[in-house]
Amino acid sequence: MKEWNRERVELHMLISLARSQRALCRIIESVADHVEGSEQLAGHVADNLKSISDYQHALMLKLMKQPARKRVDGKPAKPWLNKHV
């Protein structure tokens, strides 16, 4: 695929992701009133939104061509300093 065509496709996908994020915001706002009274419904909605969010994150990482970074907990190492500097 030609470079300009690939960039154009990636741009359209990013625009779609942004549109999807706006739609998720509208869904969250419209469901918030109904979820207040039902804890079970709140859990179900939260699970579905988490799944959609994870999918969008994976798609974004594919487009950006960056590997997923794992969070590492622990004590940081000492800074490495070059003795010749």
Side-chain angles (χ1 to χ4, degrees), residues 21-74:
Q21 285 294 312
R22 287 190 300 272
L24 277 177
C25 290
R26 287 194 309 270
I27 290 169
I28 291 169
E29 289 174 357
S30 66
V31 171
D33 293 333
H34 300 289
V35 170
E36 267 184 47
S38 172
E39 196 171 305
Q40 183 182 11
L41 180 59
H44 185 65
V45 169
D47 290 342
N48 287 338
L49 291 174
K50 174 79 170 120
S51 297
I52 293 170
S53 177
D54 289 345
Y55 175 75
Q56 289 178 335
H57 183 72
L59 187 57
M60 182 195 62
L61 288 175
K62 286 276 189 190
L63 286 173
M64 301 303 290
K65 297 183 178 81
Q66 294 180 355
R69 295 173 60 186
K70 293 183 181 179
R71 185 181 183 108
V72 178
D73 294 331

Side-chain angles (χ1 to χ4, degrees), residues 7-17 19 63:
E7 290 175 355
R8 193 169 151 204
V9 169
E10 288 177 356
L11 176 63
H12 284 293
M13 291 181 79
L14 289 172
I15 290 170
S16 295
L17 276 173
R19 193 175 323 138
L63 286 173

